[in-house]
Amino acid sequence: MAEADRIQGGSLGALRAVDYKTGRAEAYVRDAAREMDCVFSDISETLDSLLVVVPAAMARRAAEDVLVAVSEASGVISAGIATLADSAGFDVSDLAAATELDTPIADLTGAAFQPLANEDKLDAVSRSVALALLAEQLENHTATVVANVRHRLADMYSHPQSLIAAALNGQNEVSETMDLETADLDIEVPEISAVAAAQAVVFLLGGAFRAPLERIPASSVWHGAAARSSMGVTVPQFSCAPSEDAVEIGEKMHILLPELEQAVAMHAQCAPDAMPLYTFVLQHMSACDGDEDDSPLLAMLALVLRSVQRAFVRQVCCVEAPLSALGCRQLAADTEYIAS
């Protein structure tokens, strides 16, 4: 269809051409959001003119042809997430288990697995914030334009003359279009991109925990023996300090809130009028940890922290039995430290 081709070669092409450079995301968000607005302005204008001249029996199909541009816009976000994954050293498929911090990942040296103080990690988080903002904008635009199309089609078939004309040209099209409450328009749902963008934010926030968690099962502390004196006498040990891995995990847990607040601030600077980053993430993640009385910010913090605790328990369960007496005391000390 010529109208759809015009959008593909015009505003949609301009959206695809917006490139993300290294560093903070403000400029990218500004340019990409502007082009996203242009894409949906073109979609709305095209639909407004198209639904006036197209025969009633062909209206729904014509609308779907134009709305393919929504799927293409969603593809821009998906491509951005793939680029983010490649530059940060993880695979897009890893995002499906964003809160499963003990899932095996072959190489943990990439930017995604560094603390936020790392410049490359900061760039990765900035890119994920930008993609979350675009995904939110895509959802809002899509909801508006699809609601408008549904209203226009319902109005079109509410007139007897249009209904008769449509019936003469295609009875199946009439029955499909009349059932607007249950039949979705045939377009890709952009929530898929929004979910991936939310998962990317959570994945990056939890990435630094993966290396110390992965080392837990093979640690020598679980099977160590009590120290002996120079005379070969076993030295009694009445207390046990947390292991190095537990201390590293605990330190990262303590700085997670400031890191989250930094990501939220980056998000707000890019688009002050958008919903807060933590609200966007919680809306699109399949599960939400935290108490009902928690603020959204604390609920998102709990989402990551509890995933760390779950991963720690699962990794401990992978330790080869039996543990030594010293190993049992070490486990108690590590568990108490991380749980606190």
Side-chain angles (χ1 to χ4, degrees):
M1 180 177 286
E3 292 83 357
D5 292 340
R6 180 180 61 80
I7 296 173
Q8 292 277 348
S11 56
L12 193 54
L15 174 61
R16 292 196 191 97
V18 178
D19 189 23
Y20 181 88
K21 306 297 191 297
T22 58
R24 297 293 292 270
E26 285 91 338
Y28 172 77
V29 171
R30 182 190 63 240
D31 295 342
R34 182 185 63 244
E35 299 304 337
M36 183 82 76
D37 286 340
C38 291
V39 169
F40 278 87
S41 177
D42 284 352
I43 290 174
S44 297
E45 290 177 3
T46 300
L47 288 170
D48 285 344
S49 59
L50 194 63
L51 295 179
V52 171
V53 298
V54 170
M58 300 172 59
R60 176 172 175 157
R61 191 161 299 157
E64 289 174 349
D65 288 342
V66 174
L67 289 173
V68 167
V70 174
S71 299
E72 298 290 340
S74 180
V76 171
I77 297 174
S78 298
I81 293 172
T83 302
L84 164 64
D86 183 64
S87 64
F90 65 93
D91 192 274
V92 172
S93 62
D94 294 329
L95 294 179
T99 59
E100 303 301 320
L101 299 181
D102 56 332
T103 52
I105 293 179
D107 184 3
L108 295 175
T109 61
F113 312 106
Q114 308 306 314
L116 198 56
N118 179 282
E119 185 175 348
D120 291 335
K121 174 64 170 285
L122 192 63
D123 285 351
V125 172
S126 182
R127 185 189 290 265
S128 72
V129 163
L131 293 168
L133 282 164
L134 290 184
E136 179 192 345
Q137 183 183 14
L138 174 66
E139 280 194 314
N140 293 338
H141 275 311
T142 302
T144 299
V145 74
V146 170
N148 180 53
V149 171
R150 287 180 180 277
H151 175 76
R152 294 287 297 274
L153 291 176
D155 185 63
M156 179 180 293
Y157 285 96
S158 67
H159 299 289
Q161 290 182 342
S162 298
L163 186 59
I164 293 171
L168 293 173
N169 286 282
Q171 182 62 41
N172 290 337
E173 187 71 22
V174 176
S175 61
E176 291 177 3
T177 309
M178 291 299 289
D179 192 19
L180 291 175
E181 295 300 321
T182 57
D184 289 331
L185 292 165
D186 189 16
I187 62 169
E188 180 184 334
V189 180
E191 284 86 352
I192 297 171
S193 295
V195 169
Q199 289 173 336
V201 173
V202 174
F203 184 92
L204 290 170
L205 288 172
F209 293 97
R210 291 179 180 269
L213 284 167
E214 188 176 272
R215 293 194 297 263
I216 287 174
S219 176
S220 61
V221 300
W222 312 122
H223 305 101
R228 289 179 175 270
S229 69
S230 58
M231 299 180 64
V233 177
T234 300
V235 178
Q237 187 172 7
F238 300 103
S239 64
C240 192
S243 65
E244 291 183 4
D245 291 333
V247 169
E248 183 177 346
I249 293 170
E251 289 175 346
K252 293 181 186 303
M253 293 173 79
H254 282 297
I255 65 172
L256 183 59
L257 178 57
E259 290 188 343
L260 174 56
E261 289 175 333
Q262 186 175 356
V264 169
M266 292 164 59
H267 183 274
Q269 289 171 2
C270 289
D273 296 329
M275 75 169 64
L277 177 64
Y278 42 78
T279 303
F280 172 83
V281 168
L282 292 173
Q283 282 186 359
H284 292 92
M285 296 297 289
S286 59
C288 176
D289 286 313
D291 298 328
E292 292 182 359
D293 296 333
D294 280 350
S295 71
L297 177 65
L298 294 180
M300 183 172 169
L301 179 67
L303 182 71
V304 181
L305 289 179
R306 294 187 181 180
S307 67
V308 173
Q309 293 174 332
R310 286 194 297 266
F312 173 77
V313 171
R314 287 195 293 265
Q315 291 296 78
V316 166
C317 290
C318 294
V319 175
E320 184 179 353
L323 276 65
S324 66
L326 181 61
C328 291
R329 288 196 295 272
Q330 187 66 65
L331 176 58
D334 285 3
T335 302
E336 182 179 359
Y337 179 75
I338 290 175
S340 63

